[in-house]
C-alpha cells in the first residue's frame, strides 16, 4: 500500500517521451498564460510564461494513468479524458514566473488534484523551481526530467523566476464532484 503523504513524486515518462511532448506542444500556437481573478485575464505582474494546450490522446491517457496510480488520497474523481479540463505545456524563459497561488477556487471547484511533469533536463536551466507550501517548511518539487509531482489542488504553490536557459513542464488538473 502506498504511504499517504502531502505530495507524490514518481517517474512518469522517459526522456524520449518528454521530447515528444515538447515537440507536440511546439506544433501548436503559444498563448500568454492567464490567471483567474475577477475573470480570466493576463497579468504579467502575477504570472509570466507561454502555454500550449495539449489535445494529443496518447499524452492525455498517460497523464490520466499517472493521476490514477497516485491518487493516494482516494479523492472521488471523474474518469476519462473528460476529467482533464485542461492539460498544458508551459514554456518558461528567463524572468518567467508564477506567484503563490492555488489551483482550486470557486471558479475551479471541481479540481481535485494538480500535476506537474518536468520535461526539461535540469542541467539546461537555472531557477524556475516549483515550491509547495504545506506546513512550516516549503518543499521544492523535483527537477528530474520525466518525473511528475501530484498534490491536492488547494495546496499553495509558486514557480520561482527562471534565471537562465528555458524550462518546459506539463501541467494538468484532475476533476471530480464538488465533494471529496
Amino acid at each position: 500500500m502506498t504511504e499517504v503523504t502531502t505530495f507524490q513524486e514518481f517517474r512518469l515518462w522517459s526522456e524520449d517521451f518528454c521530447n515528444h511532448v515538447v515537440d507536440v506542444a511546439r506544433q501548436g500556437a503559444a498563448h500568454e498564460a492567464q490567471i483567474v481573478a475577477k475573470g480570466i485575464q493576463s497579468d504579467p505582474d502575477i504570472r509570466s510564461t507561454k502555454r500550449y494546450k495539449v489535445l494529443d490522446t496518447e499524452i492525455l491517457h498517460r497523464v490520466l494513468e499517472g493521476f490514477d496510480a497516485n491518487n493516494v488520497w482516494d479523492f472521488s474523481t471523474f474518469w476519462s479524458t473528460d476529467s482533464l479540463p485542461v492539460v498544458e505545456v508551459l514554456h518558461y524563459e528567463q524572468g518567467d514566473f508564477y506567484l503563490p497561488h492555488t489551483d482550486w477556487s470557486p471558479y475551479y471547484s471541481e479540481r481535485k488534484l494538480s500535476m506537474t511533469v518536468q520535461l526539461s533536463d535540469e542541467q539546461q536551466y537555472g531557477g524556475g523551481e516549483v515550491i509547495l507550501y504545506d506546513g512550516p517548511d516549503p518543499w521544492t518539487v523535483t527537477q528530474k526530467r520525466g518525473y511528475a509531482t501530484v498534490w491536492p489542488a488547494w495546496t499553495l504553490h509558486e514557480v520561482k523566476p527562471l534565471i537562465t536557459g528555458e524550462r518546459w513542464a506539463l501541467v494538468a488538473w484532475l476533476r471530480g464532484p464538488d465533494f471529496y
Side-chain angles (χ1 to χ4, degrees):
M1 181 171 164
T2 304
E3 179 185 350
V4 177
T5 60
T6 305
F7 318 111
Q8 294 294 306
E9 285 193 323
F10 51 95
R11 180 155 189 92
L12 185 63
W13 295 334
S14 68
E15 289 185 22
D16 287 342
F17 197 75
C18 290
N19 289 335
H20 169 70
V21 173
V22 171
D23 290 342
V24 167
R26 285 182 170 157
Q27 293 171 15
H31 302 279
E32 286 297 320
Q34 298 177 319
I35 59 168
V36 176
K38 300 179 184 172
I40 297 174
Q41 61 188 18
S42 294
D43 187 336
D45 293 329
I46 296 174
R47 184 180 192 191
S48 174
T49 189
K50 297 279 189 280
R51 63 188 176 88
Y52 300 81
K53 188 170 183 177
V54 176
L55 300 173
D56 180 282
T57 55
E58 180 184 10
I59 296 169
L60 296 178
H61 285 289
R62 288 185 181 210
V63 168
L64 276 174
E65 289 169 0
F67 271 128
D68 185 48
N70 292 281
N71 180 3
V72 297
W73 308 273
D74 201 27
F75 290 157
S76 177
T77 62
F78 302 134
W79 185 246
S80 84
T81 54
D82 293 338
S83 66
L84 298 169
V86 178
V87 175
E88 296 177 332
V89 170
L90 303 178
H91 182 209
Y92 289 89
E93 297 177 304
Q94 189 173 352
D96 286 346
F97 66 96
Y98 195 175
L99 293 180
H101 64 284
T102 68
D103 295 331
W104 183 94
S105 71
Y107 187 80
Y108 289 123
S109 63
E110 291 185 329
R111 284 184 177 177
K112 302 297 184 208
L113 296 171
S114 299
M115 175 190 286
T116 186
V117 183
Q118 177 63 29
L119 302 174
S120 296
D121 181 330
E122 63 189 300
Q123 303 301 314
Q124 300 300 314
Y125 67 93
E129 299 91 350
V130 178
I131 308 295
L132 300 169
Y133 299 96
D134 184 54
D137 298 314
W139 189 72
T140 303
V141 166
T142 186
Q143 292 180 306
K144 293 179 185 175
R145 190 174 198 195
Y147 276 73
T149 305
V150 174
W151 63 87
W154 60 76
T155 304
L156 185 68
H157 59 287
E158 70 177 304
V159 180
K160 293 291 191 178
L162 194 73
I163 299 167
T164 61
E166 62 180 358
R167 176 179 176 262
W168 291 85
L170 179 137
V171 294
W173 305 274
L174 189 67
R175 294 176 40 230
D178 277 339
F179 55 90
Y180 289 87

